[in-house]
Amino acid sequence: MMLKQPGPTPHKTTRTEITSLFGDAKLVLDETPKAVSPFGGLASFISFLGQIGFAAEVQRRMPFPEPASNNAIPLAHCLTAFLMSVVVGGQRFAHSSWLRADHVLHSMLGLERFPGDDTIRKFFLRFSQTHIESFWRPLWRWLLRLVACPKAGFSLDLDSTVFCREGKQEGARKGFNPRRKGRPSHHPLLAVLAEAPFILHGWLRSGNTGAARGVVPFLQEALALLPEGSWIRTVRADSGFCDGALLDFLEERSLPYVIVARQTLRLKGRCSGVREWTPIDEHHDAGEFRMKLFGWSKERRFVVVREQVREDKPAVGRKLIDMPGYTFRIWVTNRDESAVELWRDYNRRACVEQRIEELKHDLAADGFCLQPFYATESAFLAVLLTFNLLSLYQHQTTPEAPYRQPGTLRVAVFLCGAVLGTAGREVVIKLSAAWGGLGKHKPLVDATLDWLKAASPKLVPPLDRLAVGGGMV
């Protein structure tokens, strides 16, 4: 049998050329031994993490002993590597391999070795429910101390979403799934501080749970995370959370709320009986009434906004048979403001939908799934932590600028060519001038160095508001 002769080995001086797409310019491909990164703009974000003491806090709260092997990667490095993968756009665990060859980023993080995707998976597989409570909750309390409470208090928005699943992971059940009906999913529950913006609390739930399932203990945990002196201005939620037990809990804690009411037949009939309407503008009117629904402990105030159906603009709400030509939206509330003020205040809750879309599309919160439920929940909480860190980073570096979504921040700030080099005994990271260079990134780094490690100022809540932070519920 004749052996196949090996092909000629290209000589080092052999040129590899390509032709430009437009035109006939010849381009020569070559290589460089220098470490090059597309994410030199992460320098300011990593500086911010250093200023707030992120590494020390993660190491202090880590619930697992470090691996005994001399070849093992520290657990805090594994978590940090995952967060960086999410920040730069990774949507699966396997995408963390993007950064294994990025020695510029390794130098900024101080990592001798960057963990692979299997190592990161094994890190999250360690977590049980006990570990989640002992690691993530204290980490949240530490981070919340860096959030300044507005003088008017926080608006707390409750919402849930759907994470589609393709396998048979723990907790993946058939439930409400508008995109892929009949397919398994997880059904996370979120509490968002609208003014920050900051994810106060998050639960991963099985797909067959309703929106309000477990919302009272969830809210108890969320309020217990708030630092001393923080208070809630109002709680806002959609009709999935219109539950008598939740309303009783909010009233027991003297928490103001405005929640969309479920339009049952009885409630629609009562709405049709409203005779006094206050004009808001030429297309909207407001009314109100009091009513006790089945299973409720007492009578409550309902606010109604009706909108005239128009051909040039789709109306929001539901139609009533007894009152054609209008759509109606109904809220239940314990607040005393006028119907117009409550309507406008609730409309600001639309930001929570944007935060959820950012979590799913910019940070791939639904993309990191493992077989054990609590491993998946731990990865989910890591993505929420990433969102909060990015929000605090923006507040520190560009406090006067409007909020930017994580995807926008990635492209506008973090994407910057960088080369790793030396100057004498110093390690130097050279940022590409074409991407803004030092002129763009030095002010951001300087802003992080001005960070005060002291806790946010403790404000005194007004007499008509309840301070809910600082105590165990």
Side-chain angles (χ1 to χ4, degrees), residues 167-364:
K168 296 182 179 180
Q169 298 88 354
E170 289 184 3
R173 299 287 185 272
K174 294 181 180 179
F176 175 72
N177 193 337
R179 292 189 177 181
R180 305 195 66 183
K181 297 181 179 180
R183 302 294 301 217
S185 62
H186 283 128
H187 193 187
L189 179 60
L190 295 169
V192 180
L193 300 177
E195 288 80 8
F198 192 95
I199 309 297
L200 175 61
H201 197 29
W203 273 5
L204 187 69
R205 304 179 298 176
S206 60
N208 57 356
T209 57
R213 178 72 177 271
V215 67
V216 171
F218 172 82
L219 199 52
Q220 287 176 324
E221 291 185 4
L223 296 176
L225 293 173
L226 287 170
E228 183 178 359
S230 299
W231 66 94
I232 300 298
R233 180 186 70 84
T234 188
V235 176
R236 303 178 295 201
D238 61 22
S239 60
F241 297 91
C242 187
D243 181 77
L246 174 60
L247 302 183
D248 289 338
F249 170 76
L250 295 174
E251 290 165 356
E252 289 172 3
R253 296 295 304 271
S254 300
L255 289 171
Y257 64 82
V258 52
I259 297 176
V260 177
R262 293 193 183 100
Q263 295 197 21
T264 61
L265 290 176
R266 187 179 173 205
L267 192 60
K268 289 180 180 179
R270 182 66 181 84
C271 183
S272 300
V274 176
R275 294 292 177 261
E276 296 183 4
W277 295 95
T278 302
I280 300 175
D281 53 38
E282 59 177 327
H283 301 295
H284 298 83
D285 303 289
E288 62 179 86
F289 59 88
R290 300 189 66 85
M291 185 178 180
K292 178 182 177 182
L293 296 182
F294 178 77
W296 285 14
S297 60
K298 64 178 183 180
E299 183 181 74
R300 292 184 169 95
R301 180 192 181 197
F302 288 85
V303 171
V304 187
V305 172
R306 69 178 186 182
E307 181 179 358
Q308 188 177 10
V309 177
R310 291 164 283 169
E311 294 183 357
D312 58 335
K313 181 181 178 181
V316 179
R318 295 188 178 183
K319 297 181 179 180
L320 301 183
I321 297 178
D322 297 337
M323 300 186 69
Y326 292 94
T327 59
F328 293 81
R329 301 180 72 191
I330 310 173
W331 296 268
V332 58
T333 183
N334 63 345
R335 293 167 56 177
D336 298 327
E337 295 97 322
S338 67
V340 176
E341 292 178 2
L342 293 174
W343 172 56
R344 290 172 177 166
D345 186 18
Y346 182 84
N347 285 341
R348 301 189 189 102
R349 181 190 169 273
C351 291
V352 72
E353 302 289 347
Q354 298 176 15
R355 304 292 90 83
I356 291 177
E357 291 302 311
E358 292 165 15
L359 287 170
K360 295 171 74 171
H361 297 300
D362 291 0
L363 301 179

Side-chain angles (χ1 to χ4, degrees), residues 13-250:
T13 59
T14 302
R15 302 198 334 163
T16 301
E17 296 182 348
I18 63 172
T19 304
S20 60
L21 181 61
F22 296 98
D24 298 325
K26 297 295 184 180
L27 305 175
V28 179
L29 298 184
D30 204 345
E31 65 180 27
T32 176
K34 295 183 178 180
V36 181
S37 172
F39 299 112
L42 283 172
S44 57
F45 181 60
I46 293 173
S47 175
F48 167 75
L49 296 181
Q51 289 300 305
I52 65 175
F54 172 81
E57 190 67 22
V58 168
Q59 291 171 334
R60 186 167 73 93
R61 298 295 183 183
M62 191 63 66
F64 313 110
E66 291 292 343
S69 172
N70 293 331
N71 197 39
I73 296 178
L75 299 179
H77 294 189
C78 295
L79 176 60
T80 304
F82 176 77
L83 298 186
M84 290 299 154
S85 300
V86 174
V87 169
V88 302
Q91 298 182 347
R92 300 289 185 272
F93 285 109
H95 295 172
S96 61
S97 299
W98 294 350
L99 301 179
R100 295 200 72 184
D102 193 336
H103 296 288
V104 178
L105 179 62
H106 301 176
S107 297
M108 290 191 289
L109 293 173
L111 304 184
E112 295 183 2
R113 292 185 300 146
F114 197 89
D117 54 306
D118 283 339
T119 304
I120 294 175
R121 287 190 190 94
K122 290 177 182 178
F123 168 76
F124 287 114
L125 287 171
R126 295 169 176 261
F127 280 86
S128 64
Q129 184 177 14
T130 302
H131 295 135
I132 287 177
E133 296 299 325
S134 63
F135 177 68
W136 291 109
R137 307 313 180 207
L139 205 59
W140 241 258
R141 292 189 182 95
W142 162 74
L143 203 58
L144 277 162
R145 291 199 294 270
L146 308 178
V147 181
C149 182
K151 292 183 179 180
F154 287 114
S155 301
L156 181 61
D157 295 331
L158 300 176
D159 208 348
S160 61
T161 187
V162 175
F163 288 172
C164 297
R165 301 303 186 201
E166 302 300 331
K168 296 182 179 180
Q169 298 88 354
E170 289 184 3
R173 299 287 185 272
K174 294 181 180 179
F176 175 72
N177 193 337
R179 292 189 177 181
R180 305 195 66 183
K181 297 181 179 180
R183 302 294 301 217
S185 62
H186 283 128
H187 193 187
L189 179 60
L190 295 169
V192 180
L193 300 177
E195 288 80 8
F198 192 95
I199 309 297
L200 175 61
H201 197 29
W203 273 5
L204 187 69
R205 304 179 298 176
S206 60
N208 57 356
T209 57
R213 178 72 177 271
V215 67
V216 171
F218 172 82
L219 199 52
Q220 287 176 324
E221 291 185 4
L223 296 176
L225 293 173
L226 287 170
E228 183 178 359
S230 299
W231 66 94
I232 300 298
R233 180 186 70 84
T234 188
V235 176
R236 303 178 295 201
D238 61 22
S239 60
F241 297 91
C242 187
D243 181 77
L246 174 60
L247 302 183
D248 289 338
F249 170 76
L250 295 174

